[in-house]
């Protein structure tokens, strides 16, 4: 059974003994052993606790293929995140540049500094948004 193998692998990755995981899920060590061997399976409430303790979704624990299909279709989002960062930097830098130019009271060297500050602000905004999305994904609130 894939669930038992996943529980065993994730438990070891987290550095938990069967006893420590059992404490977190409010079951006995023998129950964890039985799940890992595929002799029994956790009930839905235990699956929720197990999911939280191991830091994985229930779909991932039970080996639901939909999770892997989504990962295959979405792929690695590193390139997408890079584009989002660049977009924030360019957008904020452009807005700062247009504002400084239209204010008609800055020298060109000051306008360049203002555009640079806008770009730094855009990068900071991108980092904040990225971390918010990451937190939402990890806490299970993201769709």
């Amino acid at each position: 059974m894939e669930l038992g193998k996943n529980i065993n692998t994730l438990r070891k990755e987290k550095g938990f003994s069967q006893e420590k995981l059992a404490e977190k899920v409010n079951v006995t060590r023998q129950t964890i052993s039985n799940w890992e061997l595929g002799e029994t399976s956790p009930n839905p409430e235990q699956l929720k606790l197990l999911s939280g303790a191991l830091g994985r979704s229930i779909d991932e624990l039970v080996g639901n293929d939909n999770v892997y299909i989504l990962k295959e279709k979405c792929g690695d989002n590193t390139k997408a995140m890079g584009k989002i960062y660049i977009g924030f930097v360019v957008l904020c830098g452009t807005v700062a540049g247009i504002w400084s130019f239209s204010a008609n009271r800055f020298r060109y060297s000051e306008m360049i500094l203002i555009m640079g500050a806008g770009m730094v602000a855009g990068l900071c905004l991108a980092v904040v948004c990225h971390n918010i999305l990451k937190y939402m994904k990890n806490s299970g609130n993201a769709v």
Side-chain angles (χ1 to χ4, degrees):
M1 172 174 255
E2 193 168 342
L3 173 61
K5 189 168 57 173
N6 290 342
I7 293 171
N8 183 281
T9 303
L10 294 170
R11 175 180 62 79
K12 289 178 180 176
E13 279 179 16
K14 289 282 190 179
F16 294 152
S17 64
Q18 287 182 339
E19 194 168 296
K20 183 71 174 173
L21 182 58
E23 287 175 22
K24 292 181 175 290
V25 185
N26 301 324
V27 296
T28 65
R29 184 209 58 80
Q30 187 60 42
T31 302
I32 299 293
S33 176
N34 288 338
W35 290 347
E36 290 181 353
L37 295 172
E39 293 176 6
T40 60
S41 296
N43 66 36
E45 189 60 35
Q46 292 167 330
L47 263 177
K48 283 173 49 178
L49 293 170
L50 199 54
S51 170
L54 296 174
R56 297 296 170 98
S57 71
I58 293 173
D59 280 329
E60 287 176 291
L61 287 177
V62 299
N64 186 350
D65 288 342
N66 290 337
V67 172
Y68 303 108
I69 291 169
L70 282 174
K71 284 183 180 178
E72 283 177 19
K73 286 185 178 182
C74 296
D76 184 17
N77 66 0
T78 306
K79 289 181 184 177
M81 285 311 301
K83 290 178 183 176
I84 291 171
Y85 274 63
I86 290 170
F88 271 107
V89 168
V90 169
L91 177 67
C92 291
T94 302
V95 168
I98 291 170
W99 172 81
S100 67
F101 183 75
S102 64
N104 216 11
R105 64 179 180 209
F106 298 106
R107 290 177 282 177
Y108 287 115
S109 60
E110 292 172 326
M111 283 191 266
I112 290 171
L113 286 174
I114 290 170
M115 283 183 1
M119 294 171 95
V120 169
L123 181 61
C124 293
L125 186 61
V127 169
V128 168
C129 290
H130 182 198
N131 286 319
I132 289 170
L133 291 171
K134 199 165 148 181
Y135 171 78
M136 288 173 62
K137 177 183 175 194
N138 291 339
S139 67
N141 293 332
V143 177

